[in-house]
Amino acid sequence: MVIDAGHGGKDPGCHGKHFKEKDVALAVALKLGHYIEQNDKDVKVVFTRTTDTFVPLNERAEIANRNHADLFLCIHCNANRNTDASGAATYVMGLGKSNGNLEVSKRENASILYEKNYKQTYDGFDPNSDEANVLFAMYQNVYLQESLSLSTLIQGEYSKRINRTDNGVKQAGFLVLWRTAMPSLLTEIGFLTNPDEERKIGSQKGEDQIAEAIFLAFEQYKDDKDKSAFDPGAFNLSPLVLKNNTDTISTPAGNTASNVKETNENDSLAGTNPLKATPDTAQVSRTKTNPDTAQTAATPDRKRSAKDDSNRIKVNRMKEEVADMQKAPVKQLPVREPRHDTVAAPKQALAAKETIKSDTETGRLVYKVQFLVSSSPLSLHDSRFANLPQVAVYMDNNIYKFTSGCYNSTKEAVDNQAMLRKEGYKDAFVVTFRDGKRVFNTKLSAK
Ligand SMILES: [Zn+2]
C-alpha cells in the first residue's frame, strides 16, 4: 500500500490560520501507516514522503507503480473562500457532476506549477484551464469499482467515528491519480479554512482520529478482499505520537517556501491559490505534549446491520435514480458546437442517429457503446452528452454505466465507438443488450 501525503517542501498546499495542509497530511499519513504496520504484518507500507520534502505529482504515481502497489491512497485537506465550508469527501478519478469537484481537482492539480517542465511532464496539461480539467477527468481507472468501495468505507468511518460532515464519494480528474495502475483515491479530510475544523484536524488527537477512521475502512476493505470477517475490536489502536514534530513538520511561521512570493492577501482567501505565501500567524507549537495522544483510542462500536441497512437504502435510491433517468431518455439530439477544437464535429453523430433502433423490441440483440462510468447519477441531458447519439444508462454493482447508440449491427456500433473515442472517451467499447439487460458471451464479428 502506498500512502501519499499531499504537497510538501516548497508546496505548502492550502492552509488555515495555524496549520498548513502539507503538515497535517504528513502527520495523518504517518499515523495511518503506523496503524497498518502495527496490525497487518502482511501489508507493506510505502510512503511517497516521510519528511517535509517536495515530490512531483507524477513521481508519486510512479512510486506506486514501481512498487506494484495494490492500493494508492492520497491524503489532503480542503480549502474554500467560504470559511463555513466543512466536511470530508473522498475522490476517485472520473467525470464529476458538479463544479465543486472541478474546483477541488483544479486546486490540487495546481501543485504542478511548482514543478519545472510541467507542460512536458503532463502532456501540455494546463492546470488553470477548466476545460483541460474537465476533459482530463474522462480518463478512467479500470479499478474504479474497488476505488469506490474503499472510498465509501472511508466516508462511512468519517461520519461514524469523527462526526465529520459527509460530503460523499465524488469523481474528478486528479493528476496524481492519473497514471496509477491500481485502485487509487484521494481523501480530503476536512477544511483548514474552517476555524472549527482546522482546530480539530490540526490537533494530534484529530489527526489520530482521522488516521484511525481511514485505517478501519482499510481493514474492512482488506477483509472483504481476503473474505474474512471484520472485527473492529481486534486491532491495536495505540496511536503514533509525533514527538519531534518540528523535525519533520514545520509550523506555518517556520517555513515560507523560498520561491514563493510574499503577499499580504487577506486570510479569507487562504488555500485558493497555491502560489500564495502563507501568513506568519503561527502561535501554535506542535511539539506541545497532548495528554490525549497517550491513550489508546476507544474500541469502535460498529454495528454491521445498521451499515447494511443504510447500504441497501443507498442502492435502492440509486436504482430509482436510474429508473427516473431512463423514463426521460434523450429523444432529440440537439445540434451544438463542438466543445473543444480537438473533438470530432457532431456530423458523424447525427448521421448515426438515422440507424438508431429502439432496444425495447423483445428478444432482439442490440449493440450499444459504453463510454463512461460514474459513481453518481449524471443527467442524460448533461451538456457533455449533447453531441452523442442516444445516451442511456444502466446500473452495475452500484456504478452508473453510460451507453451511446442502439444498433442492430456491430458495424454501426463500431463506427459509433470510433466517434466516441475521437471525442475523448478513449475506453469506449461495444456492449450487447437484450430486453434492456446487458448480455455477455455473444460473439462480436468486429472489435
Ligand atoms: Zn492538497
Side-chain angles (χ1 to χ4, degrees), residues 18 26 32 51 113 116 151 164 207 248 287 360 367 396:
H18 306 292
L26 179 58
L32 170 63
T51 56
L113 294 172
K116 269 186 189 173
S151 300
R164 180 111 338 125
E207 290 161 354
T248 54
T287 52
T360 53
Y367 303 91
D396 179 30

Side-chain angles (χ1 to χ4, degrees), residues 21-22 102 126 149 193 214:
E21 180 180 5
K22 64 173 182 175
L102 176 64
D126 174 6
S149 75
T193 43
I214 301 172

Side-chain angles (χ1 to χ4, degrees), residues 369-372 416-422 424-431:
V369 184
Q370 184 171 313
F371 65 99
L372 185 73
N416 188 26
Q417 172 186 292
M419 189 278 294
L420 284 158
R421 287 184 177 180
K422 261 194 221 158
Y425 299 99
K426 304 235 182 293
D427 298 325
F429 63 100
V430 175
V431 288

Side-chain angles (χ1 to χ4, degrees), residues 1-2 44 46 63-72 181-183:
M1 173 181 189
V2 171
K44 182 186 170 196
V46 173
I63 290 170
N65 290 340
R66 263 203 310 273
N67 283 282
H68 305 289
D70 295 310
L71 190 60
F72 181 60
M182 73 278 314

Side-chain angles (χ1 to χ4, degrees), residues 113-142:
L113 294 172
Y114 289 98
E115 298 177 27
K116 269 186 189 173
N117 304 327
Y118 71 85
K119 286 236 159 90
Q120 288 93 314
T121 309
Y122 302 96
D123 297 352
F125 180 80
D126 174 6
N128 292 318
S129 151
D130 280 8
E131 193 153 56
N133 276 281
V134 168
L135 286 174
F136 166 70
M138 288 176 186
Y139 284 94
Q140 303 236 319
N141 185 310
V142 292

Side-chain angles (χ1 to χ4, degrees), residues 7 21 76 108:
H7 312 276
E21 180 180 5
H76 286 255
E108 300 295 8

Side-chain angles (χ1 to χ4, degrees), residues 6-7 13-14 21 75-77 107-108 111 188:
H7 312 276
C14 69
E21 180 180 5
I75 297 167
H76 286 255
C77 307
R107 185 174 58 75
E108 300 295 8
S111 279
E188 298 274 359

